[in-house]
């Protein structure tokens, strides 16, 4: 409507500025992270229940019933909580999103804001406005071998250093256009002594297959190779204690004091554990989050991606 009126009035340049400004504002809304009890949001004279993942636009009025509360997120990675009953204009928090924090908690809230926002109706409408739904068909991508006499084995960066305490978690890799055997060797770091070796056709090996040979609190290194693969850099496996892992998790739990439900808490801790390369424990928390709130796509989608990335099959 703005664009049409501008063109009819001969103010096309002003029109472009207004339209550009409206797009620039998109994505700066607050987003619902957690909600307890009955909370509604009124926007353009339409009132609806507040749910996790809902985008709250400027001009919204929030109505919090007695005993209810909610936590909202800024795009900048800052959480904002409402813990008392009443009606509140969203403009109340217009200057509350400024932050200079670069902590792992702040990084998580930026991440979860983006994950929820890209699944929202507002984001889908924004993409339609930009006509990004139009796609160009092309032939399926082809993979070419730069050197037919060599193969390339690739590793997920998360496995450069794996901190492992317990759980059925695999060490994995990827190699295209190869169906032969891989040769896996586990070493004791420092002495270089071989602790375990195996040959296999699969692109992964469960840690449980050799866990009885490891000693708690020690660091190990591992490598996997194949004919024509060349030299493969060693990866690190830290066999950490359950006590140290539990202490880390307690620290993550205490790092956030805002209201959050069980699923959100599981997912947040899973993200933090993944950033610290505690992948088996991260997987357990992602799984718990998806089970606690199966209706939230962010949780279930992350669980599926994580299982695919690390060759988890349970």
């Amino acid at each position: 409507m703005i664009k049409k009126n501008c063109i009819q009035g001969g103010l096309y340049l002003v029109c472009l500025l207004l339209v550009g400004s409206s797009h620039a504002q998109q994505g700066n809304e607050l987003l619902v992270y957690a909600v307890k009890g009955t909370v509604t949001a009124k926007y353009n004279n339409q009132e609806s229940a507040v749910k996790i993942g809902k985008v709250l636009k400027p001009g919204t009025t929030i109505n919090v019933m007695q005993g209810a509360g909610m936590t909202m997120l800024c795009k900048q990675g800052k959480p904002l909580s409402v813990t008392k009953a009443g009606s509140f204009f969203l403009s109340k928090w217009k200057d509350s999103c400024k932050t200079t924090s670069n902590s792992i908690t702040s990084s998580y809230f930026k991440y979860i804001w983006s994950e929820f926002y890209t699944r929202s109706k507002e984001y889908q409408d924004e993409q339609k406005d930009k006509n990004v739904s139009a796609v160009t068909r092309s032939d399926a991508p082809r993979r070419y071998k730069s050197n037919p006499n060599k193969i390339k084995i690739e590793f997920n960066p998360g496995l450069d250093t794996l901190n492992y305490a317990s759980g059925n978690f695999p060490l994995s890799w990827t190699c295209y256009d190869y169906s032969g055997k891989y040769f896996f060797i586990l070493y004791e770091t420092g002495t270089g002594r071989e602790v375990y070796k195996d040959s296999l056709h699969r692109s992964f090996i469960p840690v449980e297959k050799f866990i009885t040979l490891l000693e708690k609190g020690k660091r190990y290194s591992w490598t996997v190779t194949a004919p024509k693969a060349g030299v493969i850099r060693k990866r690190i496996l830290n066999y950490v204690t359950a006590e140290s892992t539990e202490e880390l998790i307690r620290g993550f739990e205490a790092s956030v004091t805002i209201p959050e439900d069980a699923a959100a808490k599981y997912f947040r801790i899973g993200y933090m554990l993944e950033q610290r390369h505690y992948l088996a424990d991260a997987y357990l928390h992602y799984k718990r989050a998806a089970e606690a709130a199966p209706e939230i796509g962010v949780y279930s989608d992350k669980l599926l991606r994580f299982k695919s990335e690390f060759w988890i099959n349970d």
Side-chain angles (χ1 to χ4, degrees):
M1 183 63 69
I2 293 176
K3 187 173 181 179
K4 181 178 179 181
N5 291 340
C6 287
I7 294 174
Q8 288 177 341
L11 300 175
Y12 186 63
L13 179 59
V14 175
C15 168
L16 288 178
L17 292 173
L18 289 173
V19 173
S21 176
S22 67
H23 280 302
Q25 295 301 317
Q26 292 176 336
N28 290 323
E29 304 90 342
L30 296 182
L31 193 144
V32 179
Y33 173 68
V35 60
K36 174 187 176 184
T38 302
V39 182
T40 62
K42 189 173 183 180
Y43 180 74
N44 283 346
N45 294 320
Q46 293 185 342
E47 191 167 11
S48 60
V50 166
K51 296 181 180 180
I52 294 173
K54 182 177 178 65
V55 174
L56 301 173
K57 298 181 178 181
T60 297
T61 300
I62 300 170
N63 297 304
V64 183
M65 302 298 105
Q66 192 66 39
M70 65 180 295
T71 298
M72 304 170 291
L73 297 181
C74 304
K75 183 179 181 181
Q76 294 87 338
K78 187 175 181 180
L80 305 169
S81 295
V82 184
T83 57
K84 62 181 181 180
S87 294
F88 308 91
F89 294 111
L90 206 67
S91 57
K92 169 184 173 69
W93 295 280
K94 67 178 182 179
D95 297 322
S96 301
C97 288
K98 296 178 181 178
T99 179
T100 58
S101 175
N102 292 315
S103 66
I104 187 173
T105 301
S106 176
S107 296
Y108 169 71
F109 285 130
K110 290 178 184 178
Y111 161 80
I112 201 67
W113 190 98
S114 177
E115 288 293 308
F116 275 127
Y117 188 76
T118 53
R119 287 167 171 79
S120 68
K121 181 180 181 299
E122 287 75 12
Y123 177 79
Q124 302 303 325
D125 291 343
E126 180 183 338
Q127 298 309 295
K128 289 179 183 177
D129 290 342
K130 293 179 180 178
N131 295 319
V132 298
S133 57
V135 297
T136 303
R137 293 184 178 273
S138 62
D139 294 333
R142 298 178 181 179
R143 189 180 297 114
Y144 297 95
K145 284 187 176 181
S146 58
N147 187 343
N149 295 318
K150 293 190 69 174
I151 63 172
K152 184 177 181 181
I153 299 177
E154 299 176 343
F155 299 84
N156 188 298
L159 289 171
D160 285 353
T161 298
L162 173 64
N163 297 312
Y164 174 85
S166 63
N168 188 16
F169 194 84
L171 304 179
S172 60
W173 53 92
T174 301
C175 185
Y176 300 105
D177 302 317
Y178 178 72
S179 58
K181 279 189 175 184
Y182 299 100
F183 301 96
F184 173 87
I185 304 178
L186 181 73
Y187 304 89
E188 186 177 73
T189 301
T191 65
R193 178 179 65 89
E194 287 188 8
V195 177
Y196 177 84
K197 58 183 177 180
D198 202 353
S199 62
L200 55 160
H201 284 93
R202 300 173 300 178
S203 296
F204 62 92
I205 182 168
V207 173
E208 286 192 342
K209 195 166 185 180
F210 50 80
I211 194 65
T212 57
L213 302 175
L214 307 187
E215 185 178 337
K216 285 280 188 179
K218 275 196 171 185
R219 170 175 288 202
Y220 299 86
S221 57
W222 61 279
T223 186
V224 61
T225 188
K228 302 180 182 179
V231 177
I232 304 295
R233 180 173 63 85
K234 292 180 180 179
R235 266 74 188 165
I236 300 300
L237 170 62
N238 287 323
Y239 190 21
V240 300
T241 64
E243 291 76 16
S244 65
T245 305
E246 290 167 2
E247 183 179 356
L248 180 67
I249 292 173
R250 285 194 297 270
F252 289 152
E253 290 174 341
S255 66
V256 168
T257 57
I258 61 171
E260 60 182 354
D261 57 44
K265 184 176 180 180
Y266 284 138
F267 194 80
R268 175 177 60 82
I269 293 175
Y271 173 91
M272 293 178 169
L273 286 166
E274 182 181 359
Q275 300 308 302
R276 295 290 185 90
H277 294 230
Y278 286 76
L279 301 182
D281 300 281
Y283 170 63
L284 179 61
H285 281 76
Y286 286 145
K287 188 175 181 181
R288 287 173 175 170
E291 290 172 348
E295 73 281 4
I296 298 182
V298 171
Y299 301 162
S300 55
D301 289 351
K302 174 61 178 180
L303 178 63
L304 290 175
R305 289 198 307 271
F306 194 87
K307 292 178 68 173
S308 176
E309 288 174 8
F310 295 103
W311 294 78
I312 300 172
N313 185 16
D314 58 5

